[in-house]
Amino acid sequence: MTASPTVSIDVVSDVVCPWCFIGQKRLDKAIAAAEGIEVEVNWRPFQLDPTIPAGGLDRHDYMLGKFGSEDRIREIHARIEPLGAAEGIAFDFDAIKVSPNTLDAHRVIRWAGATSREVQGKLVRRLFSLYFEQGENVGDPAVLVAAAREAGMDATVVETLLSTDADADAVRAEIATASRMGVTGVPCFLLEGRYAVMGAQEAETLADAIRQVATAKARGELDSAG
């Protein structure tokens, strides 16, 4: 019996994107549903707002400036919360006090990926939870170092690197590449570097995409493309 081919998925996301958190949960379900298919997940950077200063901005003022009214903000949160609850996410938008710049978070995620996909996945999940469920500032180096430690990384190394500009340009270059590829919103699930599933699709939609790509790979239909 021929082994099923491995399907690689690059997830372009930002840790302050609620739809990306929902998308992460649905992707986990999709992978579980696509039985017998090995899936390798790599997390890729995107910044919803790269203009936010390094120290972040007051969350309430930022949201008000972006959406125009308290009513509009409440409406958006009210739409997202039940969708999150259905995926096991306890969104606590009121707990979020800072809208951070996420460049440093993406640097740490990049370093986690150099350790292993498992460690990277743990870190991404932890950062989503810290921000959306606990209201932590994921732009704060101390928060990032603690999250890295919990994910299994060497916290001392992460702390040292965060105090420098290490890989900042590399992360920005990855974000620019995603933009050139047409990624204008997140999450974006890129299967085998060529098939894009945009948005926080239902788990079964993602599972179907995984199955289709696995079938195409097994038939050798992807070998000549590049």
Side-chain angles (χ1 to χ4, degrees), residues 45 47 101 103-104 106-108 110-111 161-162 164-176:
Q47 285 192 282
N101 183 293
L103 182 65
D104 282 350
H106 287 304
R107 289 202 292 152
V108 182
R110 180 184 178 88
W111 302 330
L161 288 173
L162 273 175
T164 73
D165 288 331
D167 285 334
D169 286 342
V171 169
R172 291 189 187 99
E174 270 203 79
I175 293 169

Side-chain angles (χ1 to χ4, degrees), residues 2-85:
T2 305
S4 178
T6 298
V7 174
S8 70
I9 302 180
D10 290 300
V11 187
V12 185
S13 79
D14 198 357
V15 292
V16 295
C17 166
W19 297 106
C20 293
F21 195 5
I22 291 171
Q24 173 259 304
K25 294 287 191 179
R26 290 178 176 174
L27 177 60
D28 285 350
K29 287 183 179 179
I31 291 171
E35 294 180 23
I37 301 171
E38 188 72 24
V39 179
E40 294 180 346
V41 178
N42 302 292
W43 291 87
R44 303 299 185 190
F46 189 89
Q47 285 192 282
L48 292 177
D49 189 350
T51 69
I52 293 176
L57 295 170
D58 178 87
R59 169 75 172 180
H60 180 265
D61 292 347
Y62 177 75
M63 294 294 283
L64 206 53
K66 188 173 182 179
F67 295 108
S69 74
E70 301 275 5
D71 286 345
R72 178 67 177 136
I73 295 169
R74 279 193 293 270
E75 179 186 316
I76 291 166
H77 289 168
R79 185 161 56 97
I80 295 171
E81 284 165 355
L83 294 173

Side-chain angles (χ1 to χ4, degrees), residues 89-163:
I89 301 170
F91 279 115
D92 188 354
F93 292 108
D94 289 340
I96 303 171
K97 304 304 179 188
V98 177
S99 286
N101 183 293
T102 56
L103 182 65
D104 282 350
H106 287 304
R107 289 202 292 152
V108 182
I109 291 168
R110 180 184 178 88
W111 302 330
T115 302
S116 73
R117 289 187 180 89
E118 182 184 5
V119 168
Q120 189 183 53
K122 285 181 181 177
L123 178 64
V124 169
R125 287 165 176 77
R126 183 62 179 149
L127 292 176
F128 277 140
S129 179
L130 284 169
Y131 186 68
F132 285 112
E133 297 181 313
Q134 301 170 48
E136 294 285 345
N137 177 8
V138 293
D140 182 342
V143 172
L144 292 172
V145 170
R149 182 186 296 110
E150 290 166 14
M153 299 175 71
D154 187 324
T156 303
V157 171
V158 172
E159 186 173 19
T160 301
L161 288 173
L162 273 175
S163 67

